[in-house]
Amino acid sequence: MTHSEIEMTPDLILGLLHDQHPDLADHPVQLGARGWDNQLWRLGDDLAVRLPWATESADELLRKEYDWLPGLAPHLPLPVPVPQRIGEPSARFPRPWIVTTWVPGTPADRAPATRVAESADALAAFLTALHRPAPDGAPAGRGRGGPLADHTEGFTQQLASATEQGLIPDPDAVRAVWEDAVAAPDWSGPALWLHGDLHPANVLTGDGTFCGVIDFGDLFAGDPAYDLAAAWLLLPDGAVDRFHDAYRPAADPATLRRARGWAVVKALVCILIGEAGVHGRPGGKPTWGPPGHASLRRLVATARH
């Protein structure tokens, strides 16, 4: 992460709006969140401004959202941050930025879904609507998706690190889930639209179920197993089977095996980031640990049956 040397303040946001979108410059501004790639500033009641601050790739991700998400959003059953305006690099701020709609809710790492049927159905409906064949020219996954075997080295390192820290009670069981997933046949269908980053901080909850999905910077076309992994990471105990029953078209056994492999990787990442947060290390987020541990517990338990 390479944090911006420019201090993000309400005055900066209002100055950018005054220069490029003056009709929005009279809206109140307040900080919403600091993410991996962008800062989010709430603009009035219904809008938000997203500015890159922590990674060099954030510029490309924002432009991708601006180009593709407005066409997908009307078909999705959960609210998403629809880009409304784009800001170009200037002397005031040397990177692009966007204005989107504001999506209310609490990130699921802070307020996990608790209502089994409602959350399973909501997630299944969202992914059913999103997972449609993508057109030629749709963005690639910048290392995400693709054959699971290509990610074995990363999985091995993550599992070793988590095990050395005493975070994994049964590493052999975790490894068995991964090996079964790697052995599954690759995706042979069309490249489908994928969110590409469905971790608990990018899905919003309200009243115990999902009420929004944010941060489409990793939107890409590929194997639906990558997104289907989110069922183990986001849903409460007892909800995964209902999710699979509701998702259409029903995923074939090989896709579910690959999804379990991606879920293991995502769970390990959450566990490591959560542990870093517990100890105050850079990039750590303590709220990510619990969903990672719960996901791994469910994956290992179901594998034993």
Side-chain angles (χ1 to χ4, degrees):
M1 300 176 72
T2 54
H3 291 162
S4 172
E5 296 180 358
I6 298 176
E7 183 181 4
M8 305 285 190
T9 66
D11 286 343
L12 172 66
I13 310 303
L14 291 173
L16 291 171
L17 292 168
H18 182 271
D19 292 345
Q20 299 191 39
H21 300 288
D23 59 310
L24 301 178
D26 61 346
H27 290 50
V29 173
Q30 60 178 325
L31 179 63
R34 294 184 176 92
W36 289 110
D37 299 295
N38 305 292
Q39 285 198 19
L40 178 70
W41 289 75
R42 190 166 184 179
L43 181 64
D45 294 329
D46 302 318
L47 298 173
V49 179
R50 295 180 66 206
L51 305 94
W53 81 301
T55 59
E56 293 181 1
S57 62
D59 299 24
E60 175 188 352
L61 304 186
L62 285 180
R63 290 194 184 276
K64 184 202 301 185
E65 289 190 49
Y66 184 80
D67 290 340
W68 293 100
L69 192 52
L72 294 172
H75 308 288
L76 302 177
L78 289 175
V80 301
V82 184
Q84 304 292 303
R85 313 277 185 92
I86 192 163
E88 296 295 346
S90 64
R92 192 185 296 271
F93 187 73
R95 306 181 69 174
W97 46 278
I98 60 174
V99 178
T100 74
T101 54
W102 172 261
V103 181
T106 304
D109 61 318
R110 301 180 199 168
T114 55
R115 296 165 64 190
V116 171
E118 292 83 355
S119 58
D121 291 349
L123 183 61
F126 177 81
L127 291 181
T128 293
L130 176 62
H131 289 175
R132 293 290 183 259
D136 293 341
R142 63 167 191 154
R144 303 184 181 217
L148 271 171
D150 293 349
H151 300 267
T152 295
E153 182 178 355
F155 161 78
T156 302
Q157 292 174 350
Q158 292 162 357
L159 179 60
S161 177
T163 302
E164 289 168 3
Q165 297 178 61
L167 303 174
I168 307 297
D170 190 349
D172 289 339
V174 175
R175 190 176 295 107
V177 175
W178 172 259
E179 291 174 350
D180 176 71
V182 170
D186 291 338
W187 175 247
S188 59
L192 305 183
W193 276 121
L194 308 177
H195 178 278
D197 203 18
L198 287 174
H199 58 69
N202 282 345
V203 181
L204 305 179
T205 63
D207 193 25
T209 188
F210 302 121
C211 63
V213 180
I214 60 175
D215 196 348
F216 283 74
D218 281 297
L219 182 75
F220 73 99
D223 175 5
Y226 194 81
D227 271 1
L228 293 176
W232 283 280
L233 199 62
L234 297 172
L235 292 171
D237 288 348
V240 172
D241 287 345
R242 182 177 178 115
F243 166 83
H244 290 148
D245 289 342
Y247 175 78
R248 291 290 181 270
D252 61 88
T255 297
L256 293 181
R257 289 168 66 192
R258 294 192 307 276
R260 290 168 58 82
W262 288 120
V264 165
V265 171
K266 295 169 186 281
L268 287 172
V269 169
C270 283
I271 287 169
L272 291 169
I273 290 174
E275 186 69 5
V278 168
H279 295 284
R281 295 194 290 268
K285 298 178 183 289
T287 54
W288 285 36
H293 283 290
S295 175
L296 213 55
R297 172 178 51 77
R298 287 192 286 264
L299 285 160
V300 168
T302 53
R304 287 171 172 160
H305 295 293

